[in-house]
Amino acid sequence: MVVRNTGGGAGGALTWLVKDNDGTLVGTEHTYLHGVATDSLIDGDFDGDGIADATAYRPSIGAFLVRRSSRPTDALLTIPLGQVGDDPAQVGDYDGDGVSDAAVYRAGASVGLASQTLIRLSSTGAIRTLVTGESGAFASGGSDFNGDGRADMAIQTNAGGGAGRYRLFDGVTGAQFADFNFGTPTVVSIRPRHLASQLQMC
């Protein structure tokens, strides 16, 4: 999959080019317009069909705009959440219903102040707010780290002495359940589930 700015400029329309993974080198190619160049691009299964849905997060309106794989010709699913400055690459199944929940990480107002993860639960529409780390940390959420079938949050910081520190927070209660050093402070965590770390913008 690649995404191309075909509209030109910072607000240009994005064209997505997707090749089916059918076990051959000549999978069917699909193209469609979705989002603009200033959007953040992520993914999640927002319709529960087991297929990732192309998602554009637009900070100017604080909303996730989802092109559902099961209903590609329908109007976009709009999930309001967040504001300018939030990190939207925290999508995951935080309520265990098999459908992705929109989530953002909001850094504290200044270094050292508490940060939050805000989750729009697909099962109820309610917003769950968790205190997860503090300003200056790097968030990497959306994966299940404790094996309970629900997404959790990982927070990466500098442990000093050339070591990176990770704290894991339960995605339901917000309770910290792990704290360990791993890697170095300059090694950035990978969010393997999210298109933000997979897409090629060309």
Side-chain angles (χ1 to χ4, degrees):
M1 173 185 297
V2 297
V3 178
R4 182 173 297 146
N5 182 350
T6 52
L14 298 179
T15 298
W16 297 58
L17 300 91
V18 182
K19 181 184 284 289
D20 286 347
N21 181 10
D22 62 359
T24 73
L25 298 177
V26 291
T28 303
E29 293 187 4
H30 309 272
T31 63
Y32 50 85
L33 291 172
H34 181 47
V36 297
T38 51
D39 293 340
S40 294
L41 306 180
I42 52 181
D43 80 315
D45 180 10
F46 290 94
D47 52 10
D49 65 351
I51 300 172
D53 303 310
T55 304
Y57 179 73
R58 190 160 298 164
S60 61
I61 62 172
F64 291 76
L65 307 173
V66 183
R67 180 185 186 272
R68 289 165 288 186
S69 59
S70 62
R71 303 162 65 177
T73 60
D74 283 7
L76 297 177
L77 172 64
T78 300
I79 305 172
L81 183 68
Q83 62 190 29
V84 173
D86 289 348
D87 178 356
Q90 314 303 323
V91 168
D93 183 5
Y94 290 88
D95 53 9
D97 65 351
V99 177
S100 292
D101 304 305
V104 299
Y105 174 77
R106 182 172 296 167
S110 60
V111 174
L113 293 184
S115 298
Q116 297 178 322
T117 298
L118 291 81
I119 306 159
R120 173 81 68 181
L121 299 173
S122 60
S123 55
T124 64
I127 294 178
R128 178 185 294 164
T129 302
L130 308 176
V131 176
T132 48
E134 59 286 316
S135 184
F138 178 82
S140 181
S143 297
D144 179 11
F145 294 107
N146 60 6
D148 67 352
R150 297 172 175 84
D152 304 303
M153 287 295 297
I155 301 296
Q156 178 186 5
T157 54
N158 187 340
R165 177 189 182 194
Y166 286 84
R167 286 167 291 161
L168 304 182
F169 295 85
D170 186 276
V172 177
T173 67
Q176 181 178 309
F177 63 87
D179 186 343
F180 57 91
N181 290 356
F182 181 65
T184 67
T186 56
V187 175
V188 178
S189 297
I190 299 299
R191 303 180 182 105
R193 291 191 59 260
H194 298 296
L195 289 176
S197 63
Q198 299 175 25
L199 292 176
Q200 175 185 353
M201 185 77 76
C202 58

